mmCIF file of all heavy atoms in Angstrom:
data_model
loop_
_atom_site.group_PDB
_atom_site.id
_atom_site.type_symbol
_atom_site.label_atom_id
_atom_site.label_comp_id
_atom_site.label_asym_id
_atom_site.label_seq_id
_atom_site.Cartn_x
_atom_site.Cartn_y
_atom_site.Cartn_z
ATOM 1 N N CYS A 936 -82.034 193.906 58.970
ATOM 2 C CA CYS A 936 -80.907 194.200 58.176
ATOM 3 C C CYS A 936 -79.720 193.384 58.703
ATOM 4 O O CYS A 936 -79.558 193.177 59.903
ATOM 5 C CB CYS A 936 -80.519 195.655 58.433
ATOM 6 S SG CYS A 936 -78.946 196.076 57.676
ATOM 7 N N GLU A 937 -78.959 192.782 57.805
ATOM 8 C CA GLU A 937 -77.837 191.889 58.190
ATOM 9 C C GLU A 937 -76.609 192.680 58.741
ATOM 10 O O GLU A 937 -75.797 192.174 59.373
ATOM 11 C CB GLU A 937 -77.342 191.027 56.989
ATOM 12 C CG GLU A 937 -78.243 189.857 56.766
ATOM 13 C CD GLU A 937 -77.640 188.867 55.723
ATOM 14 O OE1 GLU A 937 -76.509 189.105 55.198
ATOM 15 O OE2 GLU A 937 -78.340 187.862 55.506
ATOM 16 N N GLU A 938 -76.498 193.981 58.431
ATOM 17 C CA GLU A 938 -75.502 194.825 58.945
ATOM 18 C C GLU A 938 -75.767 195.379 60.286
ATOM 19 O O GLU A 938 -74.962 195.224 61.237
ATOM 20 C CB GLU A 938 -75.268 196.022 57.880
ATOM 21 C CG GLU A 938 -74.550 195.664 56.608
ATOM 22 C CD GLU A 938 -73.091 195.380 56.854
ATOM 23 O OE1 GLU A 938 -72.442 196.115 57.731
ATOM 24 O OE2 GLU A 938 -72.544 194.441 56.263
ATOM 25 N N CYS A 939 -76.937 196.097 60.430
ATOM 26 C CA CYS A 939 -77.128 196.800 61.636
ATOM 27 C C CYS A 939 -78.240 196.133 62.502
ATOM 28 O O CYS A 939 -78.555 196.668 63.591
ATOM 29 C CB CYS A 939 -77.517 198.247 61.338
ATOM 30 S SG CYS A 939 -79.105 198.453 60.452
ATOM 31 N N SER A 940 -78.905 195.095 61.992
ATOM 32 C CA SER A 940 -79.948 194.374 62.680
ATOM 33 C C SER A 940 -81.232 195.125 62.972
ATOM 34 O O SER A 940 -82.092 194.725 63.726
ATOM 35 C CB SER A 940 -79.452 193.806 64.058
ATOM 36 O OG SER A 940 -78.375 192.948 63.862
ATOM 37 N N LYS A 941 -81.411 196.281 62.324
ATOM 38 C CA LYS A 941 -82.580 197.004 62.434
ATOM 39 C C LYS A 941 -83.624 196.464 61.450
ATOM 40 O O LYS A 941 -83.263 195.924 60.436
ATOM 41 C CB LYS A 941 -82.354 198.523 62.155
ATOM 42 C CG LYS A 941 -81.587 199.242 63.353
ATOM 43 C CD LYS A 941 -81.359 200.636 62.930
ATOM 44 C CE LYS A 941 -80.513 201.329 64.024
ATOM 45 N NZ LYS A 941 -79.682 202.470 63.476
ATOM 46 N N LEU A 956 -80.335 194.102 53.351
ATOM 47 C CA LEU A 956 -79.797 195.282 54.017
ATOM 48 C C LEU A 956 -80.893 196.422 54.130
ATOM 49 O O LEU A 956 -81.639 196.505 53.056
ATOM 50 C CB LEU A 956 -78.615 195.861 53.290
ATOM 51 C CG LEU A 956 -77.352 194.985 53.178
ATOM 52 C CD1 LEU A 956 -76.259 195.710 52.368
ATOM 53 C CD2 LEU A 956 -76.842 194.659 54.569
ATOM 54 N N CYS A 957 -80.892 197.220 55.160
ATOM 55 C CA CYS A 957 -81.808 198.305 55.187
ATOM 56 C C CYS A 957 -81.270 199.437 54.253
ATOM 57 O O CYS A 957 -80.144 199.298 53.802
ATOM 58 C CB CYS A 957 -81.946 198.836 56.618
ATOM 59 S SG CYS A 957 -80.477 199.667 57.238
ATOM 60 N N ILE A 958 -82.104 200.412 53.998
ATOM 61 C CA ILE A 958 -81.776 201.324 52.952
ATOM 62 C C ILE A 958 -80.521 202.142 53.277
ATOM 63 O O ILE A 958 -79.674 202.394 52.505
ATOM 64 C CB ILE A 958 -82.957 202.233 52.615
ATOM 65 C CG1 ILE A 958 -82.787 203.003 51.248
ATOM 66 C CG2 ILE A 958 -83.266 203.266 53.750
ATOM 67 C CD1 ILE A 958 -82.922 202.044 50.067
ATOM 68 N N SER A 959 -80.287 202.395 54.565
ATOM 69 C CA SER A 959 -79.062 203.196 54.940
ATOM 70 C C SER A 959 -77.862 202.381 54.820
ATOM 71 O O SER A 959 -76.778 202.839 54.367
ATOM 72 C CB SER A 959 -79.223 203.822 56.362
ATOM 73 O OG SER A 959 -79.441 202.872 57.334
ATOM 74 N N CYS A 960 -77.902 201.085 55.207
ATOM 75 C CA CYS A 960 -76.695 200.278 55.014
ATOM 76 C C CYS A 960 -76.475 199.953 53.562
ATOM 77 O O CYS A 960 -75.311 199.957 53.042
ATOM 78 C CB CYS A 960 -76.884 198.869 55.755
ATOM 79 S SG CYS A 960 -76.862 199.040 57.548
ATOM 80 N N LYS A 961 -77.494 199.830 52.748
ATOM 81 C CA LYS A 961 -77.464 199.592 51.313
ATOM 82 C C LYS A 961 -76.800 200.657 50.628
ATOM 83 O O LYS A 961 -75.843 200.525 49.785
ATOM 84 C CB LYS A 961 -78.802 199.375 50.764
ATOM 85 C CG LYS A 961 -78.939 199.299 49.248
ATOM 86 C CD LYS A 961 -78.090 198.263 48.613
ATOM 87 C CE LYS A 961 -77.946 198.434 47.148
ATOM 88 N NZ LYS A 961 -76.871 197.670 46.579
HETATM 89 ZN ZN1 LIG B 1190 -78.864 198.364 58.258
#
Side-chain angles (χ1 to χ4, degrees):
C936 175
E937 281 190 0
E938 283 289 320
C939 66
S940 299
K941 286 180 188 149
L956 298 177
C957 71
I958 197 73
S959 59
C960 290
K961 169 59 190 161

